[in-house]
Amino acid sequence: MNESQSNPFGKHSGVLVRQGAPFNAGPAPELLVRSFITPNELFFVRNHGDVPTVDPAAFRLTVDGLVRRPLSLTLDEIRHFPKTTVTATLQCAGNRRLEMMAVEPIVNELPWGTEAVSNATWGGVPLRDVLAAADPRSRARHVAFTGLDETERHGHRFCFGGSIPLDKARGPEVLLAYEMNGEPLPPVHGAPLRAVVPGYIGARSVKWLQTITLREAPSDNYFQAKAYRLFPPHMRPESVDFEQGLMLGDFPVSSVTCAPREGERLPAGPVTVAGWALAGGGRRVERVDVSVDGGTTWTIASFASEEAPWGWRLWEARLDLPAGDHEIVCRAWDSAAHTQPESPAHVWNFKGYVNNAWHRVRVRCG
Amino acid sequence: MNESQSNPFGKHSGVLVRQGAPFNAGPAPELLVRSFITPNELFFVRNHGDVPTVDPAAFRLTVDGLVRRPLSLTLDEIRHFPKTTVTATLQCAGNRRLEMMAVEPIVNELPWGTEAVSNATWGGVPLRDVLAAADPRSRARHVAFTGLDETERHGHRFCFGGSIPLDKARGPEVLLAYEMNGEPLPPVHGAPLRAVVPGYIGARSVKWLQTITLREAPSDNYFQAKAYRLFPPHMRPESVDFEQGLMLGDFPVSSVTCAPREGERLPAGPVTVAGWALAGGGRRVERVDVSVDGGTTWTIASFASEEAPWGWRLWEARLDLPAGDHEIVCRAWDSAAHTQPESPAHVWNFKGYVNNAWHRVRVRCG
C-alpha cells in the first residue's frame, strides 16, 4: 500500500473517513474539483453494512415479481447484453447534513460535510434491456432492488434495498454497472454488480445487487419505506409519521464551493473560487452565482469542465477580495429555473436530507 | 351579454383586465380556488397581439422543416387523428411579477398579480402522432410553433412563436388542442387550434397555431430567442446579453394563498386558508406549508381537490388567528424536494419571470 492509499478499500489518504464500520468516507472537497471524473480511489462511499464477499462464479442476479419471464442470470449472461457507458454523479441524500446540524442537532446520522458526492463513468447493461427480457406485467409500476449487504435496524437484520418507478427504470441512463471508470467495479462500490440511477439520490443505486423485483408499490424495504423520506419541519424521531414523508428519488439543485476551504487564510487581492454544481432528474445546471455581500450582488461563475447530461458541472469564479473577513456564498440554477434556498434553517428536517441551501465559506484575507 | 360576462371575449366580471389591447386578463384569486377545473369564462388570457380571425374552412396546419413528409392538414384531417384529453394547468412566466416590481421597478411588462394561471381539460391530438406522420429527420432536436397572431417588437411586425425540445414534444401530454373543457376552443384561447405544453411556461402553448417546424436549434422567434429568458440579477434592458439568459420551458414549484385576500379584515379565531400549488415538468406537488410566524413554524396544508399529473393542486389549511395583524406565508415542495425561495429579491430579474418566492398575504383580525 503506498502513501496515497493509506485508507481502507484502496482509498486515497485525502479521503475523510466518517465511520469505520460500516465504512463511510468521502474526499476532501478541494480534491473533488481537480477533475471532472472522480478517480476511484477518491470516490465517496456510503455503506449501511459490511462489504459482502461475493463469489463471482456462484453469483446470480434474480429478476422476479410482476414479470412474465423470471430470470436468474450469471455474470457472463449479464455481460452478454449490449454494454453501454454513462457518466453520472452520485450524491448521498445526507450530503451537507453538517450544515443542518448547526441549525439543530440531528442524531444517529452521519455528519457529512460536502464530500458525499462524486462523478464517474459507469459501464454496464441498460436496466431496461434486462427488464425487457423479463417482460414486466402491465400492473408493474416500481422496480425494487435488493443488495447482498446486511444491516440492522430496530432489532431486525436485513439486506439494504430501495426502488425506483418503472418509468424511470426504462430511461436509457439507468444501468446495471460492472465497471467504474474503465476498471472492474471495486468491492467497496458494489462488485460484482450495482444499480446506477443517475439523477436520483445515491441510496437508489443499490450495490451488491442480488434481486430486482417488479412491484405495484414502492419497495417495503426499511430504506425506502421509512428512511430516505423528507419529513415536515416539525417532525422528530419520537413523533414520526412515516406516511407524511416524501419518498426521495429525484433531488433538488445544489452547489458547493470547494476552494478556498472554510477558515482558509488568503492574501488580499484576486482569488479563484472553485466548486461543483449538480441538478437532479436530468435537469441541467444552467448558471452558478457567487456573492461576497450576502447575496445582494452576484458574480456569474464560468463552467470549468466538460458537460455530461447526468454529471455535475465544475465551475470557477474570479473574485477580488480586500483585506478582512469574507463569506463566499454560492448558489446554482437548473433548467427549470429552480435555485437554492437561502438558509439550511428553511429546509431543516430531522433526518438531515437534501440540504441544498446556499453554500457558505468563510475566509480571512491579508 | 349577462352580468357575469361583462368583460370582452365572454369573460366573467370577476376577471381582472390588465390590458385591453392586446387583451390580457385573469380571474380574481378567490374565484380560482372554487374549482379544480377553471371554467372557460374565468381562464386567464395572455395575448401578445389581437385575436386573429380564422376561416376554419381555409385553415391549414403546416408541418415542415426537418421532416421527410411535410404536411398541410385541414381541421377535418387533424380531427381524424385519435383524440385524447389532458387536464393541465397553464401559467404565464410573468405570473406574480407584481411582487418582483415591489423589489425594483420592471418596465414594459404586465403587472400580473397571482392571476395568470388556470387549469383546464384540453381535448385534441397528441402532437407526437402528428410528428410521427411527418417523420422527423434524425437531426431534428426542437419543434417550433408559429401562431397567426401578429405583434410588433423593435419596429418589426411578426407572428408570435416559440419552441420546445423534440424529446418533450414526444411526451403523451403535449397536445394540439381544439377543445377546452368539453367546448370548442374559444377564439381568445387560440381557435381553431393551439399547442398545449403541460409542465412548461404558458408561452410555449402557442395559440392560433399555423406552423410546426422541426429544427436543429430552438426557434429564432423573438419570444424564444430574446424574451422568456431568465437573465442574471445584475442585467438590465440597456445591458442585456441575450445569450446569458436561460431559455425558459420547464418551471419551478410555486404556491399562492387565494383566500383570505391581501388586506382582508377577518374576525379573530379559526380561519380557513386556501390556495393553489403547481410544479413544473411533470413533477408532483408533495406538500404545502403555511406559516404565520414568518417561516419559523409551519402548518401542513391538506389537499382539497382531485389530482391530475399535469394539474395544479388546490389546498386548504385551518389556522387560529388571534386579534391583530398577521402575515400568512405559504410554500410548496415538489417531488424532487425543491421548495420555494424565501424572498422575491433573491430571484428578481429585469423581465420579472418565474417569481416563485414564498407567497405572503397580510390580514387584520378582530
Side-chain angles (χ1 to χ4, degrees):
Chain A
M1 190 178 291
N2 65 34
E3 170 61 17
S4 74
Q5 297 183 328
S6 55
N7 271 315
F9 302 104
K11 290 292 169 186
H12 188 280
S13 60
V15 165
L16 316 166
V17 178
R18 294 275 175 197
Q19 192 176 22
F23 187 65
N24 284 290
E30 64 273 21
L31 295 178
L32 264 185
V33 284
R34 283 196 189 161
S35 59
F36 178 64
I37 298 292
T38 314
N40 289 357
E41 63 174 4
L42 286 176
F43 203 101
F44 87 100
V45 177
R46 178 31 175 149
N47 286 347
H48 295 80
D50 292 337
V51 175
T53 304
V54 185
D55 173 5
F59 176 85
R60 296 292 181 279
L61 173 70
T62 299
V63 185
D64 61 15
L66 295 172
V67 295
R68 291 192 186 79
R69 280 192 301 274
L71 305 175
S72 175
L73 301 171
T74 66
L75 285 173
D76 273 355
E77 287 168 332
I78 290 164
R79 286 165 190 275
H80 200 259
F81 284 85
K83 181 184 166 187
T84 190
T85 60
V86 173
T87 295
T89 302
L90 296 185
Q91 180 181 216
C92 179
N95 198 27
R96 305 186 56 195
R97 180 178 287 127
L98 204 48
E99 297 160 63
M100 280 191 173
M101 289 174 157
V103 174
E104 182 184 325
I106 293 172
V107 296
N108 296 327
E109 301 289 342
L110 291 169
W112 290 115
T114 61
E115 76 277 18
V117 60
S118 301
N119 186 49
T121 298
W122 308 92
V125 181
L127 172 58
R128 65 179 180 180
D129 292 353
V130 174
L131 293 179
D135 195 6
R137 295 187 185 276
S138 59
R139 281 184 298 131
R141 290 287 178 280
H142 295 268
V143 179
F145 304 120
T146 309
L148 289 158
D149 49 331
E150 292 190 2
T151 187
E152 192 172 308
R153 288 291 184 286
H154 310 294
H156 297 278
R157 200 157 175 80
F158 60 96
C159 293
F160 183 85
S163 63
I164 61 174
L166 179 55
D167 283 349
K168 173 69 179 176
R170 285 186 163 137
E173 73 277 10
V174 181
L175 296 191
L176 303 181
Y178 47 77
E179 283 183 9
M180 183 177 177
N181 291 331
E183 296 173 17
L185 188 65
V188 77
H189 290 292
L193 193 71
R194 71 174 299 172
V196 171
V197 186
Y200 268 37
I201 61 164
R204 308 309 177 212
S205 290
V206 174
K207 290 180 277 197
W208 312 288
L209 188 64
Q210 58 165 318
T211 310
I212 298 173
T213 306
L214 283 279
R215 298 168 49 92
E216 283 189 76
S219 169
D220 52 15
N221 189 286
Y222 172 86
F223 292 98
Q224 182 76 35
K226 298 189 171 176
Y228 294 115
R229 283 191 188 245
L230 184 72
F231 293 104
H234 64 274
M235 214 163 266
R236 295 292 180 278
E238 58 278 11
S239 66
V240 63
D241 172 0
F242 292 108
E243 291 310 306
Q244 281 202 46
L246 183 176
M247 274 188 183
L248 292 166
D250 190 355
F251 59 78
V253 64
S254 187
S255 63
V256 158
T257 298
C258 296
R261 279 170 287 115
E262 171 67 23
E264 197 166 336
R265 291 205 61 145
L266 306 166
V271 57
T272 299
V273 179
W276 54 262
L278 180 63
R283 291 174 297 279
R284 186 171 182 243
V285 173
E286 293 279 347
R287 206 177 80 215
V288 175
D289 304 337
V290 180
S291 177
V292 287
D293 59 10
T296 304
T297 64
W298 299 90
T299 297
I300 311 304
S302 47
F303 291 112
S305 67
E306 60 203 288
E307 189 180 357
W310 299 96
W312 60 13
R313 296 188 84 173
L314 303 185
W315 55 266
E316 280 183 4
R318 193 87 171 150
L319 302 176
D320 200 9
L321 297 181
D325 289 341
H326 302 281
E327 184 179 69
I328 301 168
V329 181
C330 71
R331 67 172 185 188
W333 297 74
D334 75 11
S335 46
H338 289 109
T339 189
Q340 303 175 221
E342 182 183 343
S343 163
H346 293 146
V347 291
W348 189 94
N349 58 90
F350 84 87
K351 297 284 283 184
Y353 291 138
V354 290
N355 175 25
N356 71 328
W358 294 359
H359 186 248
R360 296 163 195 271
V361 166
R362 281 150 292 262
V363 296
R364 176 162 293 181
C365 291
Chain B
M1 189 180 287
N2 64 36
E3 170 63 15
S4 74
Q5 295 184 331
S6 57
N7 271 314
F9 302 105
K11 290 292 169 185
H12 188 280
S13 60
V15 164
L16 316 167
V17 178
R18 294 275 175 199
Q19 191 176 24
F23 186 66
N24 283 290
E30 65 272 21
L31 296 178
L32 263 185
V33 285
R34 285 197 189 159
S35 59
F36 179 63
I37 298 291
T38 313
N40 289 358
E41 62 173 5
L42 285 175
F43 203 101
F44 88 100
V45 176
R46 181 21 176 161
N47 286 346
H48 295 79
D50 292 337
V51 175
T53 304
V54 185
D55 173 6
F59 177 86
R60 296 291 181 281
L61 174 70
T62 299
V63 185
D64 61 15
L66 296 172
V67 294
R68 290 191 188 80
R69 279 192 301 275
L71 304 175
S72 175
L73 301 171
T74 66
L75 285 172
D76 274 353
E77 287 168 332
I78 290 163
R79 285 165 191 277
H80 201 260
F81 284 86
K83 182 185 166 187
T84 190
T85 59
V86 173
T87 295
T89 303
L90 297 186
Q91 180 180 217
C92 179
N95 198 25
R96 305 184 59 193
R97 180 179 288 128
L98 204 48
E99 297 160 62
M100 281 191 171
M101 288 175 159
V103 174
E104 181 184 326
I106 293 172
V107 295
N108 297 327
E109 301 288 342
L110 291 169
W112 291 115
T114 62
E115 75 276 16
V117 60
S118 301
N119 186 49
T121 298
W122 308 92
V125 181
L127 173 59
R128 64 179 180 181
D129 293 353
V130 174
L131 293 180
D135 195 7
R137 296 186 185 277
S138 59
R139 280 184 296 132
R141 290 287 177 280
H142 295 268
V143 178
F145 304 119
T146 309
L148 288 159
D149 50 330
E150 291 191 2
T151 187
E152 191 173 312
R153 287 290 186 286
H154 310 295
H156 296 280
R157 199 157 175 83
F158 60 96
C159 293
F160 184 85
S163 64
I164 61 175
L166 179 56
D167 284 348
K168 172 69 179 177
R170 284 185 164 138
E173 74 277 10
V174 181
L175 297 192
L176 304 181
Y178 48 78
E179 283 183 9
M180 182 176 177
N181 292 330
E183 296 172 17
L185 188 65
V188 77
H189 290 292
L193 193 71
R194 71 175 297 171
V196 171
V197 185
Y200 267 38
I201 61 164
R204 307 312 177 210
S205 290
V206 174
K207 291 181 276 197
W208 310 289
L209 188 63
Q210 59 163 317
T211 310
I212 297 173
T213 306
L214 282 281
R215 297 167 50 93
E216 283 189 77
S219 169
D220 51 15
N221 189 285
Y222 172 85
F223 293 97
Q224 182 76 36
K226 298 189 171 174
Y228 294 115
R229 284 190 186 246
L230 184 72
F231 293 104
H234 64 275
M235 216 163 266
R236 294 295 179 278
E238 59 279 9
S239 66
V240 61
D241 171 359
F242 292 107
E243 291 310 306
Q244 282 204 45
L246 184 177
M247 273 187 185
L248 292 166
D250 190 357
F251 58 81
V253 65
S254 186
S255 63
V256 158
T257 298
C258 297
R261 280 171 286 116
E262 170 68 22
E264 196 166 335
R265 290 205 63 143
L266 305 166
V271 57
T272 299
V273 179
W276 55 262
L278 179 63
R283 292 174 297 280
R284 185 171 182 244
V285 174
E286 293 278 348
R287 205 178 80 215
V288 176
D289 303 338
V290 181
S291 177
V292 287
D293 60 9
T296 303
T297 64
W298 299 89
T299 297
I300 311 304
S302 47
F303 290 112
S305 67
E306 59 202 292
E307 190 181 357
W310 300 97
W312 60 12
R313 297 188 84 173
L314 303 186
W315 56 266
E316 282 183 3
R318 192 87 172 149
L319 303 176
D320 200 9
L321 297 182
D325 290 339
H326 302 282
E327 184 180 69
I328 302 168
V329 181
C330 72
R331 67 173 186 188
W333 297 74
D334 75 12
S335 47
H338 289 109
T339 190
Q340 303 175 220
E342 183 183 341
S343 164
H346 293 145
V347 291
W348 190 94
N349 57 92
F350 84 88
K351 296 285 282 183
Y353 291 137
V354 290
N355 174 26
N356 72 327
W358 295 0
H359 185 247
R360 296 162 194 270
V361 167
R362 282 149 294 260
V363 296
R364 175 163 293 181
C365 291

